[in-house]
Amino acid sequence: MPQYAVLLYERVPPQDLPQEVMDGHLSMPDRVAAQGGRIVAGLGLHDSATATSIRGDLLTDGPFIETKEELGGVFVLEARDLDHAIALAKLTPIVDGGVEVRPLAGFQIVEES
Amino acid sequence: MAKAHRREWAFVLAATVRVTRDLDVAEESVQEAYVAALTVWARDGVPDRPGAWLTTAARRVALNAMQRDRTFRAKLPLLIEPDAEEPPEACFGAEDDAIPDDRLRLVFVCCHPALSREAQVALTLRLVCGVATPDVAHAFLVSAPTMAARITRAKRKIAAAGIPYAVPGPNERPERLDAVLTVVHLLATTGHAAPSGGELAREDLADRALGLARTLHALLPDEREAAGLLALLLVHRARRATRTDDDGRLLRLEDQDRSAWDRAAIAEADRLIVTALRAGPAGRFTLQAAIAAVHAQAPSHGETDWPQILALYDALLRVWSSPVVALNRAVAVAAVDGPAAGLVEVEALERDGRLAGYRYLPSTKADLLGRLGRHAEAAEAYREALALSDNEAERAFLAARAEGLPD
């Protein structure tokens, strides 16, 4: 099945998300599987204030692009097609923001040798 | 020959996509088939079944292209076909009789909500109507390379993002069909007058849209909204000859010569509307068509059944809460209850703010103020409308209306 990245954008920083929302994130793999998809991997990011950006030699404190809604996490999803991926991505609990669904050109976990 | 070309394009392309599962390869193959047809048909005459001929030719080109390309196709994924019944290779054996009609899949893919409206419109014109890319560019006042890039991006998006090549299921159907009908309606009502010589004129664009609306209605006979759109476009078409005067100036509905309206088209629209209204709850295209039909049925502007129109606008607003619809309804309110009542509605819309920058708001307000004898305010509103208008014919019309106000 095709794979997609789902990027989560939230105005509320991750440390301030209410418990129901956290529970919703934790239950995503099961809820996605119940609808015929699969969460392959997930990345939970610390809030964007903890980010460091690098442009050439210049280091900046903060995310690469400042946005009202912060990039809070990314997960990899397997779905039959875009319509299916969208339906699954909509299961993500979001307080104030949204998600981006982007097809993966590739996905690889590099094993330690 | 041009007629056979136009009529068959979508059918041939869709049938070719069935075997290529790639829009680009299919499009190029069909293009080649059409070029071949020019020579062969000029020599041997147009075949009895041009569609079948073109499809066979296009598939042959496609097969050759795919075989040649097998080694270095570092390309985008193939189109995803949910519930594909048979493997694509099986289609090569089947000739004439077994060519299935796949046009709906093509139309729904071109109008998928994951594509921008611009992309939907461009792709529909190019892939479903078969309009050459430079002509599509001209219709939307962009350069040919810009339009080509827009279409390429859209095809890439479909393949890379995995937009399914499928007719939507019953749950998604109403929303997805509405998107398709919106695109076709846009095609019919947008477009710009071309100077001359082979470029896509506004009328040609409207013709294509009407043809597409007919096709949709034929392919989806149970969809009331598809019938509604066809009826709406038929009424538009019926009044086409009278929209401007000989000098190209816009005429108001009340000044148009109704004897020049195409009564046959209006009658056909009526039949479609009546059938649609009887079959179930009316959607927004059916209601818009009904409103246009009530206008068209009046033997003169003075005999327009405004209470009926107002009732239809009330119904339309319930299924489609657009401020533009509310503005048009305000005109009907003025016709039924007088300009003061209409002005109340218009002023409420002004306060609402969603129509800021929409030139028909001040122009409607100006008309009502004029009728109430508030000429200075009317002149001011016409000035506001003029400032917002970008269309020659319209500006001339508004200027003339402002001139016509007593001092």
Side-chain angles (χ1 to χ4, degrees):
Chain A
M1 290 208 284
Q3 291 180 328
Y4 298 85
V6 180
L7 292 79
L8 280 69
Y9 289 93
E10 273 279 18
R11 256 209 159 117
V12 177
Q15 63 269 29
D16 298 336
L17 290 172
Q19 192 56 46
E20 321 88 75
V21 176
M22 290 314 300
D23 292 342
H25 283 300
L26 287 170
S27 67
M28 270 295 276
D30 287 339
R31 291 188 293 125
V32 164
Q35 290 204 25
R38 190 166 86 93
I39 292 193
V40 173
L43 301 169
L45 304 175
H46 277 296
D47 61 293
S48 59
T50 66
T52 309
S53 295
I54 309 167
R55 252 191 197 91
D57 284 334
L58 180 65
L59 274 178
T60 337
D61 181 9
F64 207 79
I65 307 169
E66 288 286 353
T67 49
K68 281 184 303 209
E69 296 101 343
E70 297 184 5
L71 179 64
V74 183
F75 61 89
V76 175
L77 184 62
E78 270 178 8
R80 292 185 298 268
D81 53 47
L82 183 64
D83 284 348
H84 191 210
I86 289 170
L88 297 172
K90 280 182 169 175
L91 296 172
T92 317
I94 296 285
V95 176
D96 185 1
V99 298
E100 176 184 325
V101 175
R102 200 184 299 198
L104 289 188
F107 177 65
Q108 193 190 15
I109 304 247
V110 180
E111 301 290 337
E112 272 188 64
S113 45
Chain B
M1 219 208 99
K3 256 193 273 178
H5 177 296
R6 247 196 220 198
R7 229 181 12 241
E8 307 295 349
W9 175 276
F11 182 88
V12 175
L13 180 64
T16 308
V17 174
R18 181 172 270 267
V19 297
T20 64
R21 288 180 59 202
D22 178 304
L23 289 170
D24 250 343
V25 174
E27 191 190 331
E28 285 170 13
S29 306
V30 174
Q31 201 57 37
E32 260 190 63
Y34 270 74
V35 168
L38 276 173
T39 331
V40 179
W41 295 5
R43 188 189 68 211
D44 302 342
V46 177
D48 288 333
R49 301 178 62 217
W53 191 100
L54 287 161
T55 304
T56 308
R59 285 173 159 188
R60 199 174 298 133
V61 172
L63 176 59
N64 292 337
M66 281 155 68
Q67 284 176 339
R68 270 198 315 272
D69 246 7
R70 233 191 266 287
T71 44
F72 54 92
R73 257 184 81 87
K75 293 203 178 117
L76 293 164
L78 295 178
L79 290 177
I80 298 174
E81 292 177 86
D83 325 310
E85 327 88 66
E86 85 260 18
E89 298 73 51
C91 299
F92 276 113
E95 297 259 332
D96 304 2
D97 302 318
I99 297 172
D101 191 339
D102 247 346
R103 285 178 291 176
L104 277 182
R105 289 210 276 180
L106 194 59
V107 170
F108 276 107
V109 149
C110 290
C111 298
H112 193 280
L115 298 168
S116 71
R117 181 71 79 212
E118 262 185 2
Q120 291 170 353
V121 168
L123 215 54
T124 301
L125 257 186
R126 174 71 198 118
L127 295 186
V128 183
C129 300
V131 175
T133 304
D135 290 337
V136 181
H138 188 87
F140 295 97
L141 298 183
V142 300
S143 72
T146 301
M147 184 54 78
R150 185 180 298 175
I151 290 174
T152 300
R153 262 197 311 274
K155 285 191 279 186
R156 268 201 79 227
K157 168 86 189 259
I158 291 170
I163 291 179
Y165 186 58
V167 176
N171 282 335
E172 292 74 37
R173 178 76 69 89
E175 213 177 280
R176 297 285 306 276
L177 179 62
D178 190 273
V180 169
L181 299 176
T182 303
V183 169
V184 179
H185 187 235
L186 256 173
L187 289 179
T189 55
T190 326
H192 299 264
S196 64
E199 290 147 320
L200 194 70
R202 175 183 229 137
E203 286 193 2
D204 196 18
L205 202 53
D207 280 346
R208 304 289 188 142
L210 183 58
L212 188 45
R214 274 200 195 287
T215 301
L216 286 170
H217 174 57
L219 293 175
L220 296 166
D222 297 328
E223 291 287 355
R224 299 189 301 280
E225 281 285 81
L229 174 71
L230 176 56
L232 180 58
L233 296 191
L234 280 167
V235 179
H236 278 331
R237 159 64 55 84
R239 294 176 5 205
R240 188 154 83 179
T242 64
R243 196 157 275 132
T244 55
D245 65 12
D246 294 329
D247 300 315
R249 279 191 294 257
L250 266 183
L251 287 172
R252 290 183 306 166
L253 198 54
E254 56 217 76
D255 301 323
Q256 291 175 18
D257 174 13
R258 297 186 175 220
S259 67
W261 289 355
D262 181 345
R263 291 289 153 193
I266 294 171
E268 188 186 350
D270 281 343
R271 284 193 295 275
L272 288 162
I273 294 164
V274 166
T275 309
L277 288 174
R278 281 201 189 125
R284 65 188 186 101
F285 285 105
T286 308
L287 287 167
Q288 287 175 87
I291 291 166
V294 172
H295 272 297
Q297 277 149 14
S300 72
H301 189 74
E303 293 162 85
T304 302
D305 187 350
W306 284 106
Q308 165 79 300
I309 288 178
L310 181 55
L312 287 166
Y313 268 116
D314 287 338
L316 182 57
L317 212 49
R318 278 195 295 274
V319 298
W320 186 25
S321 64
S322 145
V324 174
V325 171
L327 181 61
N328 293 335
R329 178 183 169 277
V331 173
V333 168
V336 173
D337 296 325
L343 191 58
V344 167
E345 303 285 333
V346 170
E347 285 169 339
L349 281 167
E350 252 184 329
R351 285 190 301 275
D352 170 282
R354 278 177 297 166
L355 290 175
Y358 186 60
R359 59 203 184 276
Y360 298 118
L361 179 57
S363 71
T364 306
K365 191 176 171 199
D367 184 65
L368 295 171
L369 285 166
R371 281 151 64 181
L372 288 167
R374 290 157 64 175
H375 300 302
E377 291 168 271
E380 179 55 44
Y382 276 122
R383 271 194 289 279
E384 211 187 307
L386 263 164
L388 293 170
S389 174
D390 56 0
N391 175 301
E392 265 318 302
E394 230 174 54
R395 291 172 62 83
F397 172 83
L398 289 168
R401 293 285 297 163
E403 291 286 299
L405 288 169
D407 294 316

